[in-house]
Amino acid sequence: MKRKIALLSDIHGNTTALEAVLADAKKEQVTDYWFLGDLLAPGTGRRKILDLMATLPISLQVRGNWEDSIWNAFHGKLDISRPSHLYMICLCQYLLEEVTPEELNRLHELPLQRLTKVGDLEIAVTHHLPDKNSRVSLMPSILKDLVQKLPIPIKADNMYRKFFLMKS
């Protein structure tokens, strides 16, 4: 039987989208699943997302930046005076209504990168970079250069957030 791999990434708590993707994967007779990070939040899916994922033959998993952010919120490592951090803390509290601390810890324990082989093809799988798991670390140098040349003062981090949200 031919091996078919479905890549699941950036689910972000969207149960409806995950169900549609899984229905399509079933129709396509997918035999294997790779999870590439960002399972929960900011969408409303919690327990159902975890339950759906538990039914799949997932052979490869890596951690996304949201797994890190949620874990940091859960462990009190965020600054509540920053609106984005306060938002993440609220999301974490919402998740904990249906998700156990152990499940959040397990997601955070996933590796940043996995090396695997499919046939003769060697593949490095990561959500972001092999050793970095934040959007800022991915900001293209050309965008950084453009931000530096703007006539108005703006923090590169804020500019990147706006850029990231526009392209998502």
Side-chain angles (χ1 to χ4, degrees), residues 65 68 112 128-129 132-139 160:
N65 55 300
D68 285 346
L112 284 178
H128 279 300
L129 298 173
K132 293 182 179 156
N133 202 19
S134 72
R135 295 178 303 184
V136 175
S137 63
L138 294 176
M139 187 175 177
Y160 180 69

Side-chain angles (χ1 to χ4, degrees), residues 63-121:
R63 180 173 88 236
N65 55 300
W66 277 74
E67 279 80 34
D68 285 346
S69 295
I70 291 166
W71 187 87
N72 285 330
F74 176 64
H75 288 279
K77 297 184 180 289
L78 300 182
D79 176 2
I80 63 169
S81 70
R82 294 182 61 186
S84 62
H85 287 200
L86 184 57
Y87 172 68
M88 188 58 66
I89 291 165
C90 291
L91 283 175
C92 184
Q93 290 172 334
Y94 173 75
L95 288 172
L96 287 168
E97 292 174 8
E98 293 185 11
V99 178
T100 69
E102 293 77 23
E103 289 168 316
L104 293 181
N105 285 331
R106 264 195 306 278
L107 287 170
H108 183 260
E109 290 167 2
L110 294 172
L112 284 178
Q113 175 181 308
R114 287 277 311 271
L115 303 174
T116 192
K117 199 169 184 177
V118 176
D120 293 333
L121 184 63

Side-chain angles (χ1 to χ4, degrees), residues 40-58:
L40 302 170
T44 59
R46 298 173 288 183
R47 171 59 39 213
K48 189 169 184 180
I49 294 270
L50 291 173
D51 292 344
L52 283 169
M53 295 294 281
T55 68
L56 303 175
I58 299 173

